[in-house]
Amino acid sequence: MIQIILNEWKILLRVRMLAVLTLLFAVGLVVVTWLGVIQNGNQREQQHAAQRHVRAQWENIDGMNPHGAVHFGSYAFKPVTPLSSIDEGVNAVTGNVLRLEGHVQNEIVYSEASQSLSISEFGKLKPSLLLQFVIPLLLIFLAFASVSSEKEAGRLKLLVFQGVSLPTLILAKSISVWLYGLLLLTLTVGVQSVINLNSMSADIMLRTLLLLFAYAAYYYIVVTLAVFLSARLTNNTAALSSMLAVWMLWTIFLPRIWGNTTTQLHPLPSRQEFKTALREDRSKGIDGHNPSDKREEELKQKVLAEYQVERIEQLPINFDGIVMQADEEYGNQVWDKHFGRNHEILRKQKHMYQLSGFLNPFAALQGASMGLSGSDMLHHLDFLRQAEHYRRGFVKALNDKLAYGGSKTGDWNWEADKAFYESVADFSYEKPHFARMFSNYLVDVLSLAFWVALATLLATLAARNVRLV
């Protein structure tokens, strides 16, 4: 088998045009990867600068009512990951800046796509675009005539008479073309890893290695199926046309069809419906029988009884701060109900789309690529969850200061000092380790494994039934 693979490579290397195209394509991959890393670095520096500026503004507050500070708020910046320079996933459209303030759970804004002058069907030129679309297409053109050309030239019968088994021949031809794709893939990932060497933690190294395996598996599937069609069909034209049809079905039609089906089966509410439902639950109560004025009156009687006084003015604390925090905690229940429902719908959509990987290996590759790069919807939801957890603690600290920091009810001129605002911790996003997230991508892994096994089986069956002439 090794000798056959070496011979296939010798034949490839003799094609001068292919050598030139390979060199140009490799240079293009390196340049695109390098530019992606540079862009990521610039975005990271801009985020750090903005975060330092926001924090400096917060720490320089010298005398402000805590409730005013609740509205002044802060910001959370969704960090870029080293691997998002390869596959930015949903990051370009979801936004990366989240305003954190009281009374409301804001939506993330300032997506890169919304500020771009050029928006295309495929997005920006990222390594993932080349790795997912261009390289597989190149491998198809290299593999489509691998067996059919041997039959047309009469060399296939000669090879069999020399003692080469057809299964070995087909597998060797598949591996020889697959190694070509693997070379380009390793070059891309290697360049990205070298440039980001200072950011290569154990988790990033694991993600990079698994990313390499995921793309390698997909390339093997594409090449093996192309060789299978080359062996089964009578001529080169039929093999090429069939594999191009499969490629178009995988990359263009099935993702759209399955994506539309997914959104129909698990639809998200419209923005207007969502905001209306939020507003009604905030004012009327989640169950429709506990309006805000009734909740405030019940809280008032409870606090008066706790401090054994008859009027709010007699309280040794600031009842306004208690009301603010109680309203905030009730609002949290509303957010959990509605945002939680939306997040659950998004997870269902994600899971249903993953199942399409058993019909379309391209869907499994995309899911694995974005997940390993930390740029898919699940990582985005994890950022929103951590940011919301911080927001609630942030607002509670300010409301508690208003309630128990020394002010009295109605004293809106009371101000907390600079030391207090400096003591409020800043938001820090803890990126999830992939080992903890792995179960979310098990379907993608199983889908790719299924297709690898299926492609190998088809190639074996083709070898048993192929005609020598």
Side-chain angles (χ1 to χ4, degrees):
M1 180 182 290
I2 295 177
Q3 188 60 45
I4 298 175
I5 294 174
L6 292 176
N7 288 336
E8 290 292 320
W9 270 85
K10 288 179 182 179
I11 294 173
L12 290 175
L13 292 175
R14 287 173 188 162
V15 182
R16 182 170 298 179
M17 180 60 69
L18 178 62
V20 173
L21 288 176
T22 300
L23 179 61
L24 293 175
F25 194 68
V27 171
L29 277 172
V30 171
V31 171
V32 170
T33 303
W34 177 71
L35 291 176
V37 174
I38 296 300
Q39 183 185 33
N40 260 28
N42 291 337
Q43 185 176 350
R44 189 181 298 111
E45 286 301 318
Q46 291 173 1
Q47 285 186 347
H48 289 169
Q51 186 67 59
R52 288 193 297 269
H53 176 71
V54 170
R55 184 61 186 178
Q57 283 185 322
W58 178 263
E59 292 184 346
N60 287 328
I61 295 177
D62 190 10
M64 179 184 286
N65 184 277
H67 185 66
V70 165
H71 289 285
F72 184 80
S74 185
Y75 290 88
F77 296 86
K78 182 182 177 182
V80 296
T81 66
L83 289 177
S84 62
S85 61
I86 289 183
D87 192 338
E88 64 180 346
V90 302
N91 290 342
V93 295
T94 56
N96 49 44
V97 181
L98 184 63
R99 178 167 171 76
L100 307 173
E101 59 179 328
H103 308 309
V104 64
Q105 186 177 135
N106 289 311
E107 298 177 71
I108 195 165
V109 293
Y110 300 121
S111 69
E112 195 171 355
S114 68
Q115 304 172 68
S116 176
L117 295 177
S118 60
I119 299 177
S120 68
E121 179 72 15
F122 294 99
K124 295 182 298 182
L125 184 59
K126 284 282 189 175
S128 59
L129 181 65
L130 301 178
L131 294 176
Q132 294 175 13
F133 293 90
V134 181
I135 292 181
L137 197 57
L138 178 60
L139 296 179
I140 289 172
F141 279 101
L142 290 176
F144 80 93
S146 57
V147 179
S148 56
S149 61
E150 300 282 8
K151 288 190 294 184
E152 291 179 356
R155 291 190 298 267
L156 186 60
K157 183 185 294 187
L158 180 61
L159 289 171
V160 172
F161 287 161
Q162 290 176 345
V164 179
S165 68
L166 284 175
T168 301
L169 178 65
I170 290 179
L171 183 60
K173 285 182 173 291
S174 299
I175 292 177
S176 63
V177 179
W178 174 69
L179 288 175
Y180 179 82
L182 193 61
L183 177 65
L184 296 176
L185 171 64
T186 304
L187 175 65
T188 304
V189 176
V191 169
Q192 194 272 347
S193 300
V194 169
I195 299 177
N196 279 318
L197 196 59
N198 294 332
S199 304
M200 295 297 287
S201 63
D203 182 64
I204 295 299
M205 291 177 64
L206 173 63
R207 288 172 178 265
T208 303
L209 183 62
L210 293 176
L211 192 70
L212 193 65
F213 283 139
Y215 277 96
Y218 182 69
Y219 292 169
Y220 175 82
I221 294 165
V222 170
V223 169
T224 306
L225 288 180
V227 174
F228 162 74
L229 292 173
S230 178
R232 291 291 294 168
L233 300 177
T234 56
N235 56 63
N236 296 344
T237 302
L240 178 60
S241 301
S242 299
M243 197 59 211
L244 287 178
V246 171
W247 179 83
M248 292 178 63
L249 184 67
W250 283 356
T251 59
I252 299 176
F253 295 106
L254 277 179
R256 286 184 175 275
I257 294 171
W258 197 275
N260 290 337
T261 302
T262 297
T263 56
Q264 290 294 323
L265 292 177
H266 301 289
L268 285 166
S270 68
R271 182 182 294 268
Q272 186 60 40
E273 291 172 344
F274 183 71
K275 289 188 173 183
T276 300
L278 278 177
R279 186 165 53 250
E280 289 182 355
D281 278 1
R282 283 285 272 162
S283 61
K284 299 179 182 178
I286 294 178
D287 56 3
H289 301 287
N290 194 17
S292 56
D293 55 349
K294 181 181 178 181
R295 297 196 304 270
E296 183 175 344
E297 181 61 28
E298 291 175 350
L299 178 63
K300 173 184 173 182
Q301 297 303 322
K302 178 182 176 181
V303 173
L304 290 177
E306 180 181 349
Y307 284 90
Q308 299 180 355
V309 295
E310 295 181 356
R311 300 194 313 277
I312 289 179
E313 292 77 12
Q314 296 174 326
L315 288 171
I317 59 172
N318 193 329
F319 182 68
D320 293 332
I322 296 177
V323 171
M324 295 296 176
Q325 183 56 30
D327 180 71
E328 193 69 32
E329 291 175 358
Y330 186 83
N332 293 341
Q333 297 179 45
V334 176
W335 310 144
D336 289 341
K337 174 185 174 182
H338 293 279
F339 279 96
R341 182 182 298 162
N342 278 7
H343 292 177
E344 185 59 30
I345 291 174
L346 289 172
R347 289 188 178 91
K348 288 180 179 179
Q349 289 181 350
K350 169 72 174 177
H351 181 67
M352 184 172 177
Y353 190 80
Q354 285 179 304
L355 292 176
S356 70
F358 290 102
L359 295 175
N360 178 13
F362 180 74
L365 173 69
Q366 280 194 317
S369 178
M370 289 189 291
L372 290 165
S373 299
S375 58
D376 69 338
M377 182 56 67
L378 296 180
H379 283 77
H380 178 67
L381 294 179
D382 182 76
F383 169 78
L384 295 180
R385 179 187 61 81
Q386 291 192 37
E388 176 59 16
H389 178 74
Y390 169 81
R391 186 193 73 85
R392 296 181 183 188
F394 169 77
V395 172
K396 187 177 187 308
L398 296 173
N399 284 333
D400 286 351
K401 186 66 175 178
L402 178 64
Y404 308 108
S407 67
K408 297 294 180 65
T409 305
D411 186 7
W412 290 98
N413 293 322
W414 183 85
E415 297 177 343
D417 58 16
K418 186 174 183 291
F420 165 73
Y421 292 108
E422 290 177 344
S423 70
V424 178
D426 197 11
F427 172 70
S428 178
Y429 177 58
E430 183 179 348
K431 298 175 185 176
H433 291 282
F434 188 73
R436 180 170 67 85
M437 303 280 290
F438 176 75
S439 61
N440 296 311
Y441 306 100
L442 187 58
V443 174
D444 296 319
V445 174
L446 293 177
S447 299
L448 288 173
F450 165 77
W451 274 97
V452 167
L454 179 61
T456 304
L457 177 62
L458 290 175
T460 303
L461 294 176
R464 294 178 180 179
N465 300 301
V466 66
R467 294 182 178 179
L468 299 182
V469 293

